Amino acid sequence: MRKFAKGEREMPSTICALATPPGEGGIAVVRVSGPECYPIVERVFRPVHAAKTVAAARGYTALLGHYLLRGVEMDQTVALFYRAPHSYTGEDVIELSVHGGSAMAGGLLEALYLAGAVPAGPGEFTRRALENGKLSLTQAEAVMEVISANGRQGAALAKTALDGSLARRISGIQAALQTLAAHMTAWIDYPEEDVPELSEGELTLTLEEQIGALNDLIDSYGAGAVLRHGVDCVLLGRPNVGKSTLLNLLAGFDRAIVTPIAGTTRDVLEQAVMLGDTGIRLNLFDTAGVRDAGADAVEAEGIRRSWKKLEEAGLVLAVFDLGEPLTPEDLEIARRCQGRPALAILNKQDLAGQGEAVAAARQALAPYFKTVLALCAKDSASLQPLCDAVARLLGTAHLDPNAAALCSARQLTAAREARDALQEALDSQRGGYGLDAAGVCLADAQRALARLTGEDATESTLDEVFSTFCVGK
Ligand code: GDP
């Protein structure tokens, strides 16, 4: 792994920050990292065992003691010692655990500042780990994803990235391109030498294989992001089709008021639920029923917001009532769902009779939706088929949490650039433009991959990546 050059930068400061969430809790952990870590903590921490000292503490050991603020003994403290380079940041690190709650951790931070430490910036510990060659850029990004992942599948995906599987996959692609590039350069630059000509078939095959590998990564990005962050989901449908009932089925309890009077749901409700066993977190928006609001201004505003939500949502559940024929409003909803990640739910299957109504509704809605599902929102048994349909629609059903995956928009952009450059190389080769042209495109692809892995990351890219981190990580 490449060590990020520190250039002419002066000796790094010794930083400290709360590593656990602020607020009440069992314990709070303050992390200190940097060249002056041990002398600074020595000034602040007094071991219970008088014969022990911070200076003499070996890595991977712990000491019990107290911390001192302006000479006053404060909270009981456990100090955990790491010696460079065997720590998260690669520097000397000490983690100090005190009782949870902001008072004790705040006092400890104050004591550390007084002793010479400075507050860490967002993600500064991880940035130092990167600069010291402990992590690649893709792994550093995965750290943030592990922290923010919701749901076990999402966390497993991020963990896979943290283990370096993406870096390994990309380095496989880079190696294949490197071999190709070396061969091409030799053949172009030294025509008089006896370099065997690169066969067209060989070149085409390698390019196709690497385009395929990049496409796999690009295609699974959306589903991975759904598992890690959840998806904004909007429930859409005329009044009384059963949206609130469906919301309650998803949420597992009576969150929305369900009444048989049309137009009761006036606002966009927000509720986050884990969707059955799919690992997908739905951020649910139940919207005001879509109908001609007439003179009711409040309801009209609700409907306007429904359409807006439809455009922004990562998942649309459009609900239709099988108890009555489809109306022009239903078809307007269907039309607006076309081309979106939308699932048509034919509700009140119990009222549909012999199935002709279901068949007719399916036929009418099929042009607008990828999936049409008939169910009964009042029946809890409907949850599983709904979960399966959503997982298929969002592509999470077949996603392997242990496979390499892109985990940031930045990585996705770089992967697309590399893929497009390889595609151009392939096109120029097929178009008979010669190896020179293909070579230029190949070099573009290699640069894009180097940006992806961070080998070519500029200071501003690093600033951007770490700006999303929390302080203390
Ligand atoms: P919304 O206005 O779209 O939110 O509709 P509601 O969820 O308030 O439901 C309207 C009415 O339809 C209520 O009386 C529900 O009990 C009823 N309902 C909802 N789902 C079903 C279903 O699957 N079968 C039957 N028979 N009635 C349902």
Side-chain angles (χ1 to χ4, degrees):
M1 194 178 302
R2 186 175 88 90
K3 276 197 169 202
F4 279 74
K6 289 201 182 111
E8 294 301 303
R9 247 189 268 167
E10 75 259 28
M11 186 158 82
S13 51
T14 295
I15 49 173
C16 69
L18 186 64
T20 43
E24 284 181 32
I27 59 168
V29 178
V30 168
R31 180 146 55 177
V32 190
S33 178
E36 290 298 302
C37 177
Y38 277 71
I40 287 174
V41 172
E42 181 99 69
R43 282 169 222 144
V44 165
F45 176 79
R46 180 186 292 160
V48 168
H49 200 310
K52 304 272 188 189
T53 64
V54 169
R58 284 182 296 119
Y60 304 139
T61 62
L63 280 180
L64 177 66
H66 292 87
Y67 82 83
L68 309 174
L69 176 60
R70 297 192 170 87
V72 178
E73 189 174 286
M74 304 290 284
D75 198 17
Q76 199 173 50
T77 305
V78 173
L80 201 54
F81 300 96
Y82 302 85
R83 292 282 185 177
H86 306 293
S87 71
Y88 180 68
T89 57
E91 302 175 323
D92 280 341
V93 168
I94 301 177
E95 285 173 4
L96 299 163
S97 305
V98 292
H99 283 107
S102 34
M104 283 308 160
L108 175 56
L109 284 170
E110 190 184 341
L112 289 165
Y113 300 152
L114 289 171
V118 297
E124 197 170 352
F125 292 95
T126 308
R127 185 163 185 161
R128 288 186 179 199
L130 179 87
E131 286 169 346
N132 290 321
K134 303 289 285 188
L135 289 174
S136 66
L137 186 60
T138 52
Q139 284 173 307
E141 285 170 305
V143 168
M144 201 56 218
E145 292 297 314
V146 169
I147 294 173
S148 61
N150 49 69
R152 230 170 297 153
Q153 283 99 325
L157 263 179
K159 168 78 169 48
T160 302
L162 184 56
D163 292 341
S165 66
L166 176 63
R168 280 194 298 280
R169 170 72 78 88
I170 298 294
S171 102
I173 298 174
Q174 285 176 310
L177 298 184
Q178 185 53 41
T179 309
L180 204 58
H183 205 123
M184 283 163 88
T185 313
W187 197 76
I188 294 165
D189 294 353
Y190 304 100
E192 68 282 1
E193 299 287 320
D194 203 12
V195 181
E197 189 179 349
L198 193 61
S199 88
E200 201 168 304
E202 220 177 309
L203 175 63
T204 311
L205 185 68
T206 308
L207 288 174
E208 279 172 351
E209 274 172 2
Q210 304 318 315
I211 290 171
L214 285 166
N215 272 334
D216 286 347
L217 287 170
I218 292 164
D219 292 346
S220 62
Y221 175 77
V226 164
L227 283 183
R228 289 191 307 274
H229 301 298
V231 62
D232 283 358
C233 169
V234 61
L235 281 168
L236 212 59
R238 280 188 296 113
N240 248 18
V241 293
K243 296 181 299 298
S244 305
T245 312
L246 190 75
L247 177 69
N248 292 338
L249 174 76
L250 292 167
F253 61 92
D254 287 350
R255 168 71 175 79
I257 317 149
V258 182
T259 70
I261 307 150
T264 17
T265 311
R266 288 196 159 188
D267 202 4
V268 179
L269 290 180
E270 254 180 88
Q271 165 110 359
V273 298
M274 289 307 291
L275 182 63
D277 58 1
T278 59
I280 302 170
R281 190 184 72 175
L282 296 184
N283 306 317
L284 284 166
F285 299 87
D286 181 18
T287 57
V290 176
R291 65 168 183 186
D292 181 5
D296 189 335
V298 179
E299 197 163 300
E301 172 58 18
I303 292 167
R304 195 191 62 75
R305 280 199 264 167
S306 295
W307 293 136
K308 184 151 182 296
K309 269 270 154 246
L310 167 76
E311 280 159 29
E312 297 164 354
L315 174 68
V316 182
L317 300 178
V319 188
F320 303 92
D321 188 342
L322 280 175
E324 25 183 279
L326 292 175
T327 68
E329 287 111 311
D330 284 330
L331 292 173
E332 170 66 9
I333 290 171
R335 203 182 52 72
R336 290 196 189 227
C337 285
Q338 196 167 27
R340 301 200 181 277
L343 177 68
I345 293 174
L346 307 182
N347 188 33
K348 309 192 190 180
Q349 196 177 15
D350 54 312
L351 302 181
Q354 282 311 308
E356 293 102 45
V358 182
R362 267 186 197 283
Q363 202 183 6
L365 296 175
Y368 307 105
F369 294 92
K370 289 201 186 85
T371 312
V372 180
L373 181 71
L375 53 71
C376 179
K378 275 182 159 180
D379 181 357
S380 61
S382 297
L383 186 59
Q384 193 57 49
L386 181 60
C387 290
D388 296 343
V390 170
R392 273 197 308 275
L393 184 74
L394 297 179
T396 61
H398 303 294
L399 197 68
D400 175 5
N402 299 313
L406 300 170
C407 71
S408 74
R410 187 194 70 76
Q411 294 173 2
L412 179 67
T413 306
R416 281 189 177 138
E417 284 167 3
R419 189 259 329 258
D420 293 347
L422 290 184
Q423 187 62 52
E424 242 180 277
L426 193 60
D427 292 345
S428 80
Q429 178 61 19
R430 284 181 178 149
Y433 293 104
L435 283 185
D436 278 356
V440 170
C441 302
L442 193 61
D444 284 346
Q446 286 178 301
R447 273 193 295 277
L449 291 177
R451 277 200 298 283
L452 197 163
T453 58
E455 288 156 72
D456 258 10
T458 59
E459 204 60 22
S460 68
T461 304
L462 296 185
D463 288 346
E464 193 187 312
V465 168
F466 287 101
S467 68
T468 62
F469 271 58
C470 45
V471 171
K473 190 62 224 176

